[in-house]
Amino acid sequence: MKLFSNTVSTLEHALNYSSAKQKVISQNIANVDTPNYKAKDVSFKAVFQEVTGQSFQAKRSDARHYDFSSRASSFSGVVNKPNVNYNENGNSVDMDKEMADLATNQIYYNALTERINGKFNSLQTVIRGGK
């Protein structure tokens, strides 16, 4: 059954993305002093493709060419951050960047929960007959 024309489902997927991003940021902060730790991030594009079920089809003219779908099935959306600077111990966690990402993700999460609460409050009002 589709409630609100898939809005609740879309909000649920967005909450899952925000939750995954929160976990990755927490791991990065926890490993700020771990030598050779590479900072990670959640790829919105990969999560979006998982949710929509769409994947790119590779046009292969030779059997030795790689197929995109085989890589996408093992990909969970968590990637190493590209273009980062490394500390002297090989760690790439930037605490200022992680704290900014944490605050941004918290604002995003709060906006999503307020939106989904509004949807359920609307449903509750309808069930009560507008009272």
Side-chain angles (χ1 to χ4, degrees):
M1 182 174 132
K2 293 182 179 180
L3 291 175
F4 306 109
S5 67
N6 275 346
T7 303
V8 172
S9 176
T10 303
L11 289 170
E12 179 186 352
H13 292 304
L15 285 170
N16 289 339
Y17 166 76
S18 180
S19 175
K21 188 151 180 94
Q22 179 77 18
K23 287 177 187 174
V24 168
I25 293 170
S26 298
Q27 287 175 350
N28 288 342
I29 292 172
N31 289 297
V32 69
D33 292 328
T34 304
N36 297 322
Y37 178 80
K38 309 299 182 242
K40 295 180 176 40
D41 198 7
V42 178
S43 170
F44 178 80
K45 181 180 174 183
V47 173
F48 183 74
Q49 285 178 350
E50 283 181 13
V51 169
T52 59
Q54 297 174 352
S55 63
F56 295 110
Q57 295 295 323
K59 182 170 175 77
R60 297 172 22 171
S61 59
D62 189 284
R64 294 175 290 177
H65 292 164
Y66 288 107
D67 189 16
F68 295 149
S69 62
S70 63
R71 288 187 351 189
S73 63
S74 63
F75 191 65
S76 66
V78 178
V79 296
N80 286 336
K81 284 186 176 181
N83 302 326
V84 294
N85 295 326
Y86 294 99
N87 298 337
E88 62 277 353
N89 64 0
N91 189 308
S92 66
V93 176
D94 181 0
M95 275 303 285
D96 293 335
K97 176 88 171 88
E98 297 301 328
M99 296 307 285
D101 287 348
L102 187 68
T104 301
N105 191 49
Q106 185 65 45
I107 292 168
Y108 179 66
Y109 181 84
N110 287 343
L112 290 171
T113 55
E114 287 203 19
R115 186 69 183 142
I116 202 164
N117 272 340
K119 290 293 180 184
F120 285 125
N121 284 338
S122 297
L123 182 61
Q124 188 177 25
T125 302
V126 169
I127 290 172
R128 289 182 179 167
K131 296 179 183 176

